[in-house]
Amino acid sequence: MKIALGADHGGFALKEIVKKHLEEKGIEVLDKGCYSTESVDYPVYAKAVAHSILDKEADFGILICGTGIGISIAANRFKGIRAALCSNTTMAKLTREHNDANILALGARMIGDVLALEIIDEFLKTEFLGGRHLTRIQAIEL
Ligand code: RB5
């Protein structure tokens, strides 16, 4: 499995923790930036990660900003991207099962690092259920 990571300055520190966590699990990481706490614009990183998914360079994306809101709004402007902002593990499980989310968005200033990693693990281990949920996500694209 390959994961594209992206964050603005508000998410940079958590992105580094996430990168280490994924690499320790043997998951390949594509780090699309940012690379410091210097102030940057989150749409740049949302776009880079969205393109990684759409170009099939990565299987899933993880985007992090201060709240997770701006970066998820930006990612969801790309057709075929379903970015879900999750603040607990139930949301992570259900957005994979029901929405086939291909990007997980996190708010680094909203949740702790341990919870963030639990949310990521739940997201990555959960499969899409298909069936009636497939019809619904197909309708999003119409
Ligand atoms: C950056 O200060 C902050 O606005 C950003 O990380 C994010 O929370 C936007 O939605």
Side-chain angles (χ1 to χ4, degrees), residues 2 29 35 57 64 117 120 124 137:
K2 204 183 280 190
V29 169
Y35 304 109
E57 196 188 1
I64 312 169
L117 299 182
I120 288 167
L124 295 180
I137 65 166

Side-chain angles (χ1 to χ4, degrees), residues 8-9 42 65-67 70 109:
D8 73 354
H9 53 288
Y42 57 80
C65 69
T67 58
R109 295 173 179 157

